Amino acid sequence: MISNEEFRTIAQAIAEAVGVEAGERRQADFSWSTKSSTSDVVTEIDMWAEDEIVQRVLKLRPDDGFLGEEGTSTPGTTGVLWVIDPIDGTTNLLYDIPGYSVSIGVQVEGTTVAGAVFDPVRRELFSAAAGGGATRNGDQIKASSASDLSVSLIGTGFSYRAEQRRDQAEILKTVLPAVRDIRRMGGAALDLCAVACGRLDGSYERGLSPWDSAAGALIAVEAGAIVDDRDLTWASAPGIADAFRALLVTARA
């Protein structure tokens, strides 16, 4: 088995290469359709990116498994699973709004050990290896020093399903008055990376899939953030973690 840092190196290289080309493909004509709802969009760029990531990994590690948002699901035989969101924030890509990314997480026996998230618009590459810290374009990053929830900037996202959006709106009614402001930027992976580098003091979103958070959650943890990646995924600067957790519990009650 190769090291966590070696997995990180592979994930970085592939996320950046695919992300750069995805950004270029966005500037040409492309087709798109919907999936679970009229708000849930998939483009030919998503499909191309997932296949390209899988093929690039297979050249290096032909026996590993894959789990991708656009349907790739193979178990592999090595205990290594590549968790792929080929385009996280597809609606942003569709409308040519910044906030979409390529996200690749690497799990060994169910534990995330490396991850990379590439933002094609800002040309920013976030990555982490378990125990090895987190970086943006090669420079170490860390979560903010926020200690007062009331002046903290918080990110969030919303489901594609109408009934979940109603629940999320109810949570927001409690959270918004208790913090400095809310940002909804479009992709969970970049929200988690924003917490990791201090652009956000915290973020939360309900109902994420493994590919949404596998890489970003590790990057946030390795940058010193507190992360809970369960049904309600949240991450925050350590200085507001207890207050943020309590607020989210109250908001969901």
Side-chain angles (χ1 to χ4, degrees):
M1 185 71 70
I2 66 175
S3 70
N4 295 347
E5 284 294 343
E6 288 172 304
F7 278 125
R8 175 188 197 169
T9 297
I10 296 171
Q12 285 183 134
I14 295 175
E16 182 170 17
V18 173
V20 167
E21 186 167 346
E24 293 170 352
R25 287 173 178 246
R26 171 59 188 81
Q27 303 314 309
D29 291 337
F30 60 92
S31 62
W32 61 276
S33 58
T34 58
K35 298 188 291 185
S36 64
S37 74
T38 55
S39 302
D40 188 4
V41 177
V42 60
T43 73
E44 66 178 89
I45 301 173
D46 297 72
M47 304 302 291
W48 165 82
E50 183 157 306
D51 183 65
E52 184 69 12
I53 292 167
V54 170
Q55 294 308 314
R56 285 174 178 258
V57 173
L58 284 173
K59 288 179 181 178
L60 300 171
R61 298 190 55 84
D63 300 317
D64 289 353
F66 297 91
L67 178 65
E69 180 179 14
E70 306 310 335
T72 302
S73 180
T74 56
T77 59
T78 62
V80 176
L81 185 69
W82 295 78
V83 185
I84 302 163
D85 197 334
I87 300 293
D88 184 56
T90 299
T91 302
N92 283 34
L93 179 143
L94 181 66
Y95 284 86
D96 202 14
I97 297 172
Y100 61 90
S101 66
V102 174
S103 176
I104 303 174
V106 187
Q107 296 181 346
V108 176
E109 303 297 346
T111 298
T112 305
V113 300
V117 176
F118 181 73
D119 178 343
V121 178
R122 287 190 170 190
R123 294 295 178 100
E124 288 186 326
L125 177 63
F126 295 89
S127 73
T135 60
R136 179 183 63 213
N137 292 346
D139 296 326
Q140 291 289 323
I141 54 176
K142 63 179 182 179
S144 81
S145 58
S147 59
D148 183 347
L149 184 60
S150 70
V151 290
S152 294
L153 188 63
I154 304 298
T156 194
F158 302 107
S159 171
Y160 294 120
R161 298 181 179 87
E163 64 275 12
Q164 285 193 357
R165 286 174 181 245
R166 293 189 191 96
D167 293 341
Q168 289 165 331
E170 290 301 315
I171 293 173
L172 185 61
K173 286 166 61 176
T174 300
V175 173
L176 183 55
V179 301
R180 168 168 281 161
D181 208 344
I182 292 287
R183 293 291 180 268
R184 196 277 197 260
M185 296 185 286
L190 284 179
D191 279 355
L192 290 163
C193 290
V195 175
C197 71
R199 286 178 180 155
L200 291 174
D201 299 308
S203 71
Y204 73 96
E205 188 167 349
R206 181 186 177 193
L208 294 181
S209 297
W211 46 78
D212 295 311
S213 58
L218 178 67
I219 292 166
V221 167
E222 289 294 324
I226 305 301
V227 178
D228 186 341
D229 190 15
R230 289 178 286 184
D231 176 53
L232 178 66
T233 299
W234 63 269
S236 79
I240 62 167
D242 289 343
F244 192 38
R245 180 189 297 108
L247 176 63
L248 292 173
V249 169
T250 299
R252 298 182 71 195

